[in-house]
Amino acid sequence: MSSASHILVTGGAGFIGSHASKALAQRGFVPVVYDNLSRGHRDLVKFGPLEVGDIGDGARVRAVLEKYRPVAVMHFAAFAYVGESVEHPELYQRNNVLGSKGLLEALLQYKPLPFVFSSTCATYGMPKHIPITEEHPQQPINPYGETKLKVEGMLRDLGRTRGLPWIALRYFNAAGSDPEGEIGEIHDPETHLIPLMLMAARDGATAKIFGADYDTPDGTCIRDYVHVSDIADAHVRAIDYLMAGGASAALNLANSRGHSVKEVIAECERVSGRAIAREITPRRPGDPASLIGSAVRAREVLGWVPQRSALEMQIADAWRWLGSRSR
Ligand SMILES: NC(=O)c1ccc[n+]([C@@H]2O[C@H](COP(=O)([O-])OP(=O)(O)OC[C@H]3O[C@@H](n4cnc5c(N)ncnc54)[C@H](O)[C@@H]3O)[C@@H](O)[C@H]2O)c1
């Protein structure tokens, strides 16, 4: 086994976890991916060993911890479809909440290692003010957001009672792909706007716009898109920060500016050089008009400033990745 420090990356066979694994490898760590491959892809595990297992399987987690003796944990493994969580809340409770509980119990039997958790802006619910800061009330409006908030609560409790050092990173909309094209976004089904619009451009399909009568300048919803490589960079910074003794905290990962659905479509057309046919359908229940995060605290605490989160760059990277997968 390599003498470099190992980091356990749960969910490292998924979209964001694979990018974080690459960022860790570039920083000289060995990412040990722990994933049950329920929604991940073996092909995205390129930067360290893969251990197939479920986060809720405490004995298996313990065995992997003993085998690699990691110095920190990044916890991405979860189910992450809002719509599915509304239909099957019990699935989300079991996988995201009980799974995380099992992982944390196994970890604490080993050692309270620095722990970086994938949280989400969905923990805030309907925005009461824009930009959304970390002090914004957390009142999720779907079971997915609730499961993430529950895990944040566990971390807070375990920090206080068991000395677990933790960072919860609340991402806004992760997009883009590795600029070098080694890894990228693969979700099945895909529900994220940018890959959906690019697939529509590639396939000549009609893209759906859910509501064009919102109280926004062009009537479509505004969201905050942040490049997955920037998210990955924040994770490595969070590990460095905790290993240097930094205090536990919850931090937004946002681009701090929003783009409407129509703006995203226009940029996808420009980048792909293809027209995208569109159909306006009714609003989806629970979609706020605008979600924009404040990343001031992540800058102050981690020195994190997004480098690739200009919309054009996110879309260009995603388009290149889609092209490489279609060949
Ligand atoms: N993609 C986004 O825009 C976004 C935004 C906010 C938060 N998040 C969070 O970031 C994390 C990663 O998201 P993603 O888009 O990369 O998702 P993803 O589905 O691509 O990756 C999740 C990975 O976790 C694995 N997994 C799921 N349940 C598991 C279990 N019980 N045991 C072991 N492995 C398990 C899956 O196989 C998959 O490889 C998730 O926790 C998600 O909630 C994502």
Side-chain angles (χ1 to χ4, degrees):
M1 207 182 293
S2 144
S3 61
S5 297
H6 291 68
I7 310 275
L8 188 71
V9 183
T10 78
F15 171 42
I16 305 173
S18 60
H19 287 79
S21 297
K22 178 166 182 170
L24 282 171
Q26 285 173 333
R27 279 292 312 274
F29 291 108
V30 179
V32 177
V33 169
Y34 185 82
D35 197 303
N36 65 5
L37 299 178
S38 57
R39 301 202 169 170
H41 304 268
R42 214 174 261 281
D43 296 355
L44 294 180
V45 183
K46 295 190 166 169
F47 311 99
L50 168 65
E51 292 284 346
V52 178
D54 195 287
I55 50 170
D57 181 348
R60 178 87 182 102
V61 172
R62 271 294 299 270
V64 170
L65 288 169
E66 296 290 352
K67 178 172 172 188
Y68 294 95
R69 310 207 142 264
V71 294
V73 177
M74 287 185 184
H75 176 34
F76 297 94
F79 290 160
Y81 290 122
V82 169
E84 183 184 57
S85 81
V86 174
E87 279 178 25
H88 301 288
E90 72 296 342
L91 192 66
Y92 277 66
Q93 286 293 334
R94 191 169 64 235
N95 200 51
N96 295 4
V97 181
L98 294 181
S100 297
K101 185 165 177 280
L103 171 71
L104 284 163
E105 280 170 2
L107 179 67
L108 288 170
Q109 283 167 13
Y110 175 70
K111 241 185 241 178
L113 296 177
F115 192 92
V116 181
F117 171 58
S118 295
S119 189
T120 164
C121 66
T123 61
Y124 294 117
M126 282 302 192
K128 297 189 190 325
H129 55 79
I130 298 281
I132 298 173
T133 55
E134 289 82 355
E135 285 76 29
H136 187 285
Q138 288 182 289
Q139 294 164 343
I141 54 164
N142 53 61
Y144 166 65
E146 274 165 25
T147 62
K148 292 287 178 172
L149 184 56
K150 281 191 183 146
V151 178
E152 283 198 13
M154 279 182 216
L155 295 178
R156 214 162 261 123
D157 288 345
L158 294 174
R160 189 169 47 78
T161 58
R162 306 289 302 276
L164 182 81
W166 59 272
I167 291 280
L169 296 173
R170 298 178 187 151
Y171 335 143
F172 282 65
N173 292 56
S177 275
D178 170 39
E180 282 133 30
E182 282 188 280
I183 45 176
E185 182 161 18
I186 312 174
H187 288 124
D188 186 18
E190 186 54 79
T191 56
H192 294 149
L193 183 68
I194 291 175
L196 278 178
M197 294 304 126
L198 292 175
M199 285 179 204
R202 179 192 63 186
D203 303 338
T206 300
K208 278 193 180 147
I209 298 180
F210 297 106
D213 56 352
Y214 284 94
D215 186 15
T216 58
D218 67 19
T220 61
C221 285
I222 293 178
R223 295 290 179 270
D224 182 320
Y225 298 91
V226 56
H227 197 293
V228 63
S229 297
D230 286 328
I231 294 181
D233 170 53
H235 282 74
V236 179
R237 287 171 184 269
I239 293 281
D240 284 344
Y241 164 84
L242 288 176
M243 289 190 4
S248 298
L251 307 172
N252 286 342
L253 295 186
N255 188 15
S256 310
R257 61 170 298 198
H259 295 284
S260 74
V261 173
K262 283 188 176 165
E263 280 172 355
V264 169
I265 294 178
E267 195 57 36
C268 287
E269 287 183 317
R270 210 184 59 72
V271 166
S272 67
R274 301 182 190 193
I276 301 173
R278 59 202 81 176
E279 175 197 353
I280 295 180
T281 64
R283 295 179 180 198
R284 287 184 303 199
D287 261 347
S290 190
L291 282 176
I292 302 173
S294 161
V296 170
R297 194 184 280 178
R299 187 174 63 223
E300 285 169 359
V301 174
L302 303 179
W304 179 73
V305 179
Q307 302 296 318
R308 290 198 72 81
S309 290
L311 186 65
E312 192 263 332
M313 243 190 261
Q314 301 196 60
I315 292 176
D317 288 344
W319 178 242
R320 209 171 321 108
W321 168 249
L322 196 62
S324 72
R325 290 189 66 224
S326 312
R327 275 199 293 274

